[in-house]
Amino acid sequence: MNHSIGFMQGRLCDCVDGKIQAFPWDDWEKEFTIAAAIKFHLIEWTLDYEDLYKNPLMTAYGQKKILSLCQKYGISILSLTGDCFMQQPFWKVSGQAQADLKSDLLEIIRACSVVGIQMIVIPLVDSGRIDTKHQENELVHFLLEQHPYLLDHRIQIIFESDFPPDELRRFISRFPLDSFGINYDVGNSAALGYNTSEELASYGSRVLNVHVKDRLLRGTTVPLKAGNANFKETFIALAKQHYKGNFILQTARAGNGVSHVEALCNYRDMTQQWIHQFM
């Protein structure tokens, strides 16, 4: 299986305001050039709530520019991580605030369809985590109502969640197979102390995208193989589920004098080795 390895937007340029992940306003176009030079052909877009409608993805001019850069450099953007949904989760508010955030989601779906993005990651973690049954139902009911809209725009919603395996299997079973799935984050699962074999045996057939990173138990993101992630076990478990999707490097930022390019290329080599060895 020829899996594609891509990277989370911003990993080839300097951090924005010291954040490990944020939309790279000053460097997003330059990143295409760098990616092509080091033979990366897949980028996962990232979208923040702040200045949402100024993001190039959300403007007609920006969409044309994105499509032009993809064509020029032979790069695909097939997935988007919607940090905006974690920053402003519609399932945790009500009234006009909720209506506005729901409208934002529909606009994001439409914009993704224009540039060829096929999957939108909704992070149900940190500020976006589901705390109550009411919140879960608010999320589920609205998204199920949008099922025809998702089909029309050829978009799949994929959830990243901190639910334990059985809970996540129960949650994803509420959604139809054709438009909904799971984004499996290797590092987040390691930080939560979950057993990757148990997780993927439970809901692995619904995994449509994988974020590759490493984290310490109950701790932060660290370089690959420096944390608690068991990559051998993870890739073997994915192979058992016949995983056919992409691997997106959402890895630790470069440090100790290593360039962003060198760090990302090293992480790609490691991921490629795991794929060859275990899948």
Side-chain angles (χ1 to χ4, degrees):
M1 180 60 61
N2 186 23
H3 297 277
S4 294
I5 301 174
F7 66 94
M8 185 67 64
Q9 188 180 39
R11 286 309 197 271
L12 286 176
C13 52
D14 291 337
C15 295
V16 178
D17 298 329
K19 299 175 183 176
I20 191 171
Q21 183 169 302
F23 180 76
W25 291 98
D26 295 334
D27 298 311
W28 74 271
E29 293 182 56
K30 181 175 71 175
E31 200 166 40
F32 282 82
T33 310
I34 301 170
I38 57 176
K39 296 181 170 53
F40 270 101
H41 302 290
L42 182 66
I43 295 175
E44 182 162 302
W45 202 263
T46 184
L47 193 62
D48 296 310
Y49 186 75
E50 185 177 3
D51 292 327
L52 175 66
Y53 287 95
K54 293 181 182 179
N55 189 289
L57 176 67
M58 304 300 289
T59 71
Y61 173 80
Q63 291 162 6
K64 290 179 182 177
K65 188 68 175 178
I66 292 166
L67 289 168
S68 174
L69 288 166
C70 286
Q71 183 176 27
K72 179 178 180 179
Y73 293 107
I75 289 173
S76 298
I77 306 171
L78 301 180
S79 53
L80 171 146
T81 281
D83 284 341
C84 52
F85 306 118
M86 179 175 60
Q87 294 154 356
Q88 294 289 336
F90 68 80
W91 51 97
K92 293 194 174 189
V93 295
S94 58
Q96 189 58 49
Q98 185 182 74
D100 291 344
L101 292 173
K102 287 178 175 179
S103 178
D104 291 340
L105 172 56
L106 299 183
E107 284 300 307
I108 292 166
I109 291 170
R110 184 201 60 77
C112 285
S113 180
V114 171
V115 302
I117 291 173
Q118 301 170 1
M119 293 178 287
I120 297 175
V121 180
I122 294 185
L124 304 178
V125 298
D126 299 329
S127 298
R129 76 185 309 270
I130 294 173
D131 296 311
T132 68
K133 193 66 177 179
H134 174 73
Q135 291 175 5
E136 179 180 321
N137 288 334
E138 285 286 308
L139 175 69
V140 172
H141 293 161
F142 177 69
L143 291 178
L144 289 178
E145 288 174 0
Q146 309 316 312
H147 189 206
Y149 189 74
L150 290 167
L151 290 172
D152 287 345
H153 289 82
R154 300 181 180 181
I155 296 289
Q156 293 175 304
I157 298 292
I158 56 177
F159 302 101
E160 186 172 302
S161 170
D162 58 7
F163 280 155
D166 289 346
E167 270 295 283
L168 187 49
R169 182 181 62 204
R170 177 199 60 77
F171 173 77
I172 198 61
S173 71
R174 301 185 69 180
F175 295 94
L177 292 166
D178 57 2
S179 298
F180 298 91
I182 291 171
N183 181 82
Y184 185 72
D185 189 298
V186 185
N188 288 357
S189 289
L192 290 164
Y194 293 154
N195 181 293
T196 188
S197 295
E198 290 179 9
E199 289 181 294
L200 293 168
S202 181
Y203 56 74
S205 62
R206 299 298 298 268
V207 173
L208 301 178
N209 196 51
V210 171
H211 284 173
V212 178
K213 72 167 178 264
D214 204 350
R215 288 180 61 180
L216 299 170
L217 182 64
R218 315 296 175 196
T220 189
T221 301
V222 294
L224 297 187
K225 297 202 293 188
N228 285 80
N230 187 329
F231 290 102
K232 177 181 178 179
E233 184 179 359
T234 298
F235 281 78
I236 289 173
L238 286 168
K240 288 180 179 177
Q241 296 297 324
H242 308 290
Y243 178 69
K244 298 178 176 64
N246 299 320
F247 291 93
I248 303 297
L249 302 176
Q250 197 186 28
T251 41
R253 303 308 302 262
N256 299 322
V258 178
S259 71
H260 299 300
V261 168
E262 183 181 352
L264 205 63
C265 287
N266 287 340
Y267 293 144
R268 175 178 57 187
D269 292 345
M270 295 164 71
T271 303
Q272 192 68 65
Q273 184 176 6
W274 291 322
I275 292 170
H276 287 325
Q277 279 187 294
F278 307 122
M279 298 189 75

